[in-house]
Amino acid sequence: MKRKTIIQLVSVVIIIAIAFFVLKACQSAKGEIKFETTIATKGSISNTVTATGTIQAVKMVAVGTQVSGVIKKIYVDFNSSVKKGQILARIDETPLRANLDQSRALVVSAAADLLFKKTNYDRFKALFEKQLIAKSEFDQAVLNWDQSKANLSNANSNYDKNKINLEYATIYSPIDGVILNRAVDEGQTVAASFNTPTLFSIANDLTQMRVEANVDEADIGQIKLGQRVEFNVDAYQDIKFTGTVTQVRLQPLVTANVVTYTVIIEAPNPDKKLMPGMTANASIFVEEAKGLLIVDSKALRFTPDSKLMADYIKKFPQSAKSTNNQKSSMKVKGNIDGKNKPSTLWVKKGNEIEPVKVVTGLSDGTNTEIKSGVSEGDEVILSMQLISRSDTTKKETVKSPFTPTRPGRGNGNR
């Protein structure tokens, strides 16, 4: 009898032990719910449009010549700093002076002829008034005098023209600036018969440059005057240069069926590191704001799994009350428009989690502005997942290869 009783007691103990370990295993398999969260903080958000362009001087002047001839002397070279009115070059004046002397002689001859014709006119006029000559003779005298006046005027004009051409033989700088290009050498002949040849290219001020950026037609609608720009060049990849949009040109540029528009960006260049012709990679800030309340955009896409929520509420019953109350009282604060969109964030306060209706603003894809609904410092949920305790235990029991073993336990020996 005693033996039977002992067997029954042992059986009960074994059953209880098995049930205990089975329950323990189930609980271990169930695991723990973990949250990935972020904090609502103050920050800045900006959206940009990228473009490439070429750096140019703000004002570029091509200096040419209006007379043909041989370049006799050049006074400046590449990179020379010049002042307005400074002599840049001279063209051989010999043929021009000869033309001027010839025209001067023609003026003297025309003046003498006019004096002679004027004397004849006065003489014929007196005779005509006394009716000693025919009217036709007097009319001829008048015609000769008028022609002489015209010839003198023409000679004076030709003289003035040759005088101006002689002055054109000296090339002056029209502005203060720097010589970027010199296209001629001493002894070279330049011809100005059909068009004006360019002798020098002068940049007005290299401390102020501009970027002529090509913006895609899909982005040009976002570009406005006064927007801030950051750009870099290959020569100084570690330096960020800044500028401002000053012009959006309406003329489209079509290359291989791709339509772009030219945007002018003014950029200060006090160190003269930027040079004409450099390629600039620009970022135009079309939207930019600082001091905003922002959260990770991932939080706005989070929706808790219903099964995990049920398990979590069982574990923390007090969270159910807060969640249900919040669901029934969510209201959107603020005006809703194109940029103010209603969304939902899940906020964690201790063990309680609750959905909060918020109004969002600017977004750069990574962070989003929160206009109302949460406050700075609130803990916002990004994700929730079930972490198996068995996995956690395995991670904790994995032995580090750097941990020393006890003597007699290494290499599989016991």
Side-chain angles (χ1 to χ4, degrees):
M1 187 68 181
K2 289 183 178 180
R3 184 177 179 181
K4 185 177 180 180
T5 302
I6 292 173
I7 292 174
Q8 291 176 346
L9 291 174
V10 171
S11 300
V12 171
V13 171
I14 292 173
I15 292 172
I16 294 173
I18 292 173
F20 173 78
F21 285 111
V22 169
L23 181 61
K24 189 71 174 177
C26 292
Q27 292 177 347
S28 297
K30 190 173 182 180
E32 182 181 359
I33 296 176
K34 293 289 186 180
F35 292 93
E36 180 187 1
T37 62
T38 186
I39 302 298
T41 59
K42 293 288 186 179
S44 60
I45 289 179
S46 60
N47 288 313
T48 61
V49 169
T50 58
T52 58
T54 304
I55 295 176
Q56 301 290 350
V58 174
K59 185 178 181 181
M60 182 83 71
V61 177
V63 180
T65 175
Q66 297 190 48
V67 294
S68 302
V70 178
I71 301 296
K72 185 176 182 180
K73 183 69 176 178
I74 294 178
Y75 298 94
V76 295
D77 202 350
F78 292 92
N79 302 334
S80 297
S81 296
V82 295
K83 297 293 184 181
K84 183 177 181 180
Q86 179 177 336
I87 298 177
L88 304 179
R90 288 185 187 275
I91 296 176
D92 186 10
E93 298 178 352
T94 302
L96 298 175
R97 287 190 179 278
N99 291 336
L100 183 63
D101 292 340
Q102 183 180 6
S103 61
R104 183 184 295 111
L106 291 176
V107 169
V108 174
S109 175
D113 183 68
L114 177 63
L115 180 61
F116 174 73
K117 297 295 176 60
K118 176 67 168 59
T119 302
N120 282 341
Y121 168 79
D122 292 338
R123 184 183 302 116
F124 276 82
K125 181 180 180 183
L127 295 173
F128 178 72
E129 290 175 349
K130 294 178 181 181
Q131 298 182 354
L132 298 176
I133 59 174
K135 187 176 184 303
S136 59
E137 291 181 292
F138 175 71
D139 291 340
Q140 185 64 44
V142 173
L143 176 62
N144 292 338
W145 183 40
D146 290 339
Q147 287 179 342
S148 294
K149 288 191 289 186
N151 290 337
L152 179 60
S153 177
N154 185 48
N156 283 325
S157 297
N158 191 43
Y159 173 80
D160 292 339
K161 177 183 177 181
N162 288 325
K163 184 178 180 181
I164 292 173
N165 285 341
L166 180 60
E167 294 175 353
Y168 282 155
T170 304
I171 312 299
Y172 298 93
S173 174
I175 59 172
D176 295 343
V178 177
I179 303 294
L180 296 185
N181 183 42
R182 175 173 61 82
V184 292
D185 293 306
E186 291 183 1
Q188 183 174 340
T189 300
V190 292
S193 301
F194 301 101
N195 55 5
T196 302
T198 299
L199 307 183
F200 304 94
S201 295
I202 304 178
N204 183 30
D205 183 12
L206 293 182
T207 61
Q208 187 71 26
M209 305 293 282
R210 73 180 184 184
V211 180
E212 296 184 3
N214 296 323
V215 178
D216 190 86
E217 62 174 324
D219 299 322
I220 194 65
Q222 304 178 62
I223 308 301
K224 300 291 184 289
L225 299 183
Q227 289 174 338
R228 186 173 71 90
V229 182
E230 289 184 354
F231 65 93
N232 58 17
V233 295
D234 292 339
Y236 307 100
Q237 296 184 0
D238 297 333
I239 300 178
K240 283 287 187 182
F241 298 92
T242 60
T244 305
V245 175
T246 58
Q247 187 181 55
V248 180
R249 293 182 177 173
L250 302 178
Q251 176 66 34
L253 302 176
V254 182
T255 305
N257 293 328
V258 176
V259 180
T260 59
Y261 292 85
T262 301
V263 174
I264 304 301
I265 301 166
E266 300 285 348
N269 185 33
D271 299 330
K272 297 184 179 180
K273 292 183 176 180
L274 298 175
M275 301 180 185
M278 285 183 170
T279 299
N281 301 306
S283 296
I284 304 172
F285 289 80
V286 296
E287 288 183 324
E288 187 176 21
K290 298 180 180 180
L292 306 177
L293 181 64
I294 60 174
V295 297
D296 192 322
S297 298
K298 183 180 177 181
L300 295 166
R301 300 189 292 270
F302 168 71
T303 301
D305 181 85
S306 57
K307 185 176 180 181
L308 290 181
M309 278 294 297
D311 293 341
Y312 187 78
I313 291 174
K314 288 179 182 179
K315 185 174 181 182
F316 299 101
Q318 70 276 15
S319 66
K321 179 179 177 181
S322 176
T323 301
N324 293 332
N325 291 340
Q326 187 69 19
K327 283 183 178 180
S328 61
S329 61
M330 286 190 300
K331 294 183 179 179
V332 179
K333 298 179 180 179
N335 297 325
I336 307 300
D337 54 30
K339 291 186 177 180
N340 301 327
K341 300 178 181 178
S343 300
T344 301
L345 288 176
W346 286 79
V347 178
K348 189 173 186 296
K349 298 179 180 179
N351 291 326
E352 297 182 5
I353 61 174
E354 56 186 18
V356 177
K357 207 69 173 179
V358 297
V359 175
T360 62
L362 297 179
S363 177
D364 59 7
T366 302
N367 296 311
T368 301
E369 175 192 5
I370 304 300
K371 289 182 173 293
S372 64
V374 297
S375 303
E376 184 178 4
D378 285 351
E379 187 177 11
V380 180
I381 300 174
L382 299 177
S383 66
M384 64 184 298
Q385 57 182 334
L386 180 65
I387 303 298
S388 174
R389 290 179 179 173
S390 59
D391 294 340
T392 305
T393 304
K394 287 180 182 179
K395 292 179 182 179
E396 292 175 352
T397 57
V398 171
K399 191 172 186 179
S400 171
F402 301 102
T403 304
T405 58
R406 296 191 313 181
R409 299 292 296 264
N411 300 325
N413 298 326
R414 294 181 178 273

